[in-house]
Amino acid sequence: MKYNFDEVIDRSANRSAKYDERVKKFGTDDVIPLWVADMDFRTAQPIIDACKAKAEEGIWGYTSRPSSYFEAVQEWEVKRNNWKPDTALMSWSLGVVPALSAIVKLFSKDGDKVLIQTPVYSEFYDVVEAWDRTVVENKLVEENGTWHVDFDDFAAKVKECSIFLLCNPHNPLGLVWDPADLKKMAELCIENGTLLVSDEIHSDLIFHGKHHTPTAALSPEIARSIITCVSATKTFNLAGLQASTTIFPNAEMKAVFDKFWGGMDIHRNNAFSSVAMEAAYREGEEWLEQLLAYVSDNFDYVCDYCAKNIPQIKPNCPDATYLMWLDCRELGMNNEELRDFFIHKAKLGLNEGYTFGRSLSGYMRLNAACPRSTLEKAMLQLKAAVDSL
């Protein structure tokens, strides 16, 4: 079927954090919300149909998880990424971030150091510091608008860290990692006994002819040394259903993880996530392909508009995710001034760049997964605000 991503959907009664939490986040609701990674599009019709059928059953008791659930994850990875993870080593979790948090707690000790690559989404800081571990930053290096790994710094710092949290593909920079770079990072982790944890939640959102490489697919040795976190929630706009899959290298680590969640009696999907995730993996690809084309055009629109009308702001055109990284340094503002400018002058609600890297200044993150008309209005407001300076 043909999907209409131009449709503007009123989310005022949608119980949407993206909209309802504007006052909490920005101090006002008079902003276009282009922040949290949540799309303003209806999901694929087969997913809606599956949830409708479940609703009409009228019985939503404790939910079992059939073997077909993880088989759908496996089949999707085979089809999209040529990777066949073992279903016996898969665990359900409430989401990728809760899974990362549990992994840090379970597979490191108090006071341990955990390596991250900044700028990276702020939850990487949160899940480390919540358990009294110390964040170590391997800062990605920018050259002429492109970013790459400082491998000398990585090699020095990974030696002192018990865990490396990898964002593959990368949020907020939209990087699709080169397999050679992934392999080099993974091998340095193995050499130093550092557990590699790969957050691959954005792995289906790939553009410009690029291809996602699951880190665990690089070699059998790397597969034996890595935990991978995936989910259909970002891909199909299902984050409110709270479900992800954590794929372990061995049964022993999986058992530790499962025991932790089981101790809180958190080990079942809810009734709707169970059917929605399967429907997404088995029947959602048509919707996804249309989404990717639409979002790619949104990227082009923002980049072209800024180049022609707001040259002081330089957006990237990401190869992955639906999130754009805006270089606003030419505006000459500090972080507080930039936040105030976007909220009160441009009336746009974006994520502040310094939350992705605490030493950063002059960046913002924009969510482009919305109807084109929303982006057009946002760009007009941003141009007027910059012109008024």
Side-chain angles (χ1 to χ4, degrees):
M1 65 181 291
K2 174 66 176 174
Y3 290 96
N4 179 18
F5 295 101
D6 283 321
E7 179 187 8
V8 177
I9 299 167
D10 181 4
R11 300 190 67 185
S12 62
N14 184 224
R15 299 191 181 187
S16 164
K18 185 178 183 181
Y19 285 76
D20 295 351
E21 295 180 10
R22 282 179 290 182
V23 172
K24 177 181 177 182
K25 171 71 175 172
F26 305 108
T28 176
D29 61 2
D30 187 21
V31 292
I32 299 175
L34 301 171
W35 60 296
V36 68
D38 170 323
M39 295 188 273
D40 286 334
F41 306 128
R42 294 185 194 277
T43 192
Q45 192 61 43
I47 302 172
I48 296 171
D49 292 342
C51 288
K52 280 184 177 178
K54 192 65 182 174
E56 289 170 357
E57 290 175 6
I59 302 174
W60 311 306
Y62 294 119
T63 303
S64 66
R65 187 181 305 111
S67 60
S68 59
Y69 183 88
F70 286 136
E71 288 166 1
V73 178
Q74 181 190 66
E75 290 162 13
W76 180 264
E77 290 292 342
V78 170
K79 184 175 185 180
R80 301 290 295 191
N81 300 316
N82 196 32
W83 175 44
K84 190 176 182 179
D86 187 348
T87 58
L89 296 177
M90 295 182 185
S91 292
W92 171 84
S93 182
L94 289 166
V96 166
V97 172
L100 294 174
S101 181
I103 289 165
V104 170
K105 173 179 173 58
L106 296 169
F107 300 107
S108 65
K109 302 185 296 295
D110 287 353
D112 274 9
K113 296 179 179 179
V114 176
L115 186 64
I116 67 174
Q117 293 177 306
T118 55
V120 70
Y121 74 111
S122 60
E123 284 81 355
F124 271 33
Y125 287 101
D126 298 340
V127 301
V128 174
E129 294 172 343
W131 302 114
D132 297 319
R133 278 53 164 173
T134 300
V135 169
V136 175
E137 296 184 35
N138 169 230
K139 296 178 182 178
L140 299 174
V141 179
E142 181 194 12
E143 292 182 6
N144 301 317
T146 63
W147 298 74
H148 61 85
V149 179
D150 180 343
F151 274 105
D152 289 338
D153 183 73
F154 186 97
K157 289 177 176 176
V158 75
K159 296 177 185 294
E160 61 189 60
C161 295
S162 58
I163 295 176
F164 167 45
L165 298 181
L166 169 67
C167 195
N168 176 31
H170 191 276
N171 168 18
L173 299 179
L175 299 173
V176 175
W177 290 110
D178 182 272
D181 286 344
L182 285 176
K183 191 168 188 285
K184 189 171 182 179
M185 289 187 283
E187 289 177 344
L188 284 166
C189 287
I190 292 170
E191 288 173 17
N192 291 281
T194 303
L195 174 63
L196 173 51
V197 183
S198 189
D199 171 0
E200 304 193 4
I201 196 169
H202 290 281
S203 59
D204 301 317
L205 300 162
I206 308 292
F207 305 92
H208 309 132
K210 297 295 182 78
H211 299 281
H212 170 69
T213 301
T215 316
L218 290 166
S219 74
E221 181 185 22
I222 292 170
R224 291 191 293 269
S225 307
I226 183 172
I227 300 173
T228 304
C229 300
V230 297
S231 178
T233 54
K234 283 287 183 287
T235 309
F236 295 98
N237 209 26
L238 305 173
L241 292 182
Q242 294 187 301
S244 73
T245 300
T246 309
I247 304 166
F248 290 91
N250 56 63
E252 292 74 22
M253 296 182 81
K254 171 179 161 57
V256 171
F257 184 86
D258 291 346
K259 182 179 179 181
F260 171 76
W261 291 108
M264 295 180 285
D265 198 33
I266 300 174
H267 52 89
R268 294 186 178 93
N269 291 74
N270 70 56
F272 292 92
S273 74
S274 175
V275 297
M277 295 300 134
E278 258 194 86
Y281 284 127
R282 296 192 186 283
E283 303 176 73
E285 192 167 39
E286 179 184 45
W287 179 91
L288 175 59
E289 292 303 325
Q290 293 179 42
L291 168 85
L292 293 174
Y294 189 90
V295 172
S296 183
D297 287 346
N298 275 358
F299 294 157
D300 291 343
Y301 168 75
V302 173
C303 289
D304 184 64
Y305 187 92
C306 287
K308 292 177 179 177
N309 300 284
I310 324 173
Q312 302 94 325
I313 295 178
K314 295 174 173 58
N316 71 340
C317 201
D319 290 326
T321 81
Y322 45 75
L323 306 162
M324 304 188 75
W325 189 240
L326 309 185
D327 182 347
C328 307
R329 288 175 293 179
E330 285 188 20
L331 295 179
M333 300 179 185
N334 63 34
N335 287 327
E336 185 177 343
E337 291 167 340
L338 190 62
R339 170 183 163 83
D340 183 78
F341 171 79
F342 269 87
I343 295 172
H344 298 293
K345 301 296 185 183
K347 297 187 182 300
L348 300 178
L350 277 61
N351 292 97
E352 301 89 349
Y354 66 84
T355 64
F356 300 88
R358 292 170 179 170
S359 62
L360 288 174
S361 180
Y363 296 94
M364 301 290 284
R365 190 190 76 173
L366 179 147
N367 180 344
C370 58
R372 184 71 46 74
S373 60
T374 302
L375 277 183
E376 290 170 350
K377 187 172 188 293
M379 289 298 104
L380 284 172
Q381 290 177 195
L382 184 55
K383 180 182 184 304
V386 173
D387 287 348
S388 73
L389 293 173

